[in-house]
Amino acid sequence: MFEAERSAPTIESPCTKVCRIDDATGLCQGCARTLGEIAGWARMSAAERLHVIADLPHRRASLRAEPPYALAS
């Protein structure tokens, strides 16, 4: 193992063990990641993980903005 790999910080998964994909956004309702991000997390570089982590607040806000059901007119 290279020295840089040993000293690189570990970026933990944001998984909350609430695994439901929101149909409207395609995001997990627990961690706000896409299925591709969830499946590829272990293969992502630290930079890629940080990019996902940085976008989570915006994604969580979009999940909260989506109504959980269609309103009858």
Side-chain angles (χ1 to χ4, degrees):
M1 184 182 312
F2 296 104
E3 184 63 33
E5 290 175 355
R6 267 186 276 172
S7 63
T10 301
I11 300 160
E12 298 295 325
S13 167
C15 181
T16 62
K17 310 289 192 265
V18 177
C19 304
R20 288 188 301 262
I21 300 300
D22 179 76
D23 289 333
T25 63
L27 299 173
C28 174
Q29 293 175 354
C31 67
R33 292 180 293 166
T34 65
L35 282 174
E37 291 166 343
I38 293 166
W41 189 260
R43 293 181 308 276
M44 284 184 178
S45 68
E48 291 169 321
R49 289 181 180 192
L50 286 172
H51 178 77
V52 171
I53 296 289
D55 198 36
L56 293 182
H58 176 261
R59 295 177 186 193
R60 287 186 178 115
S62 72
L63 283 169
R64 285 191 300 273
E66 293 291 328
Y69 51 87
L71 298 175
S73 31

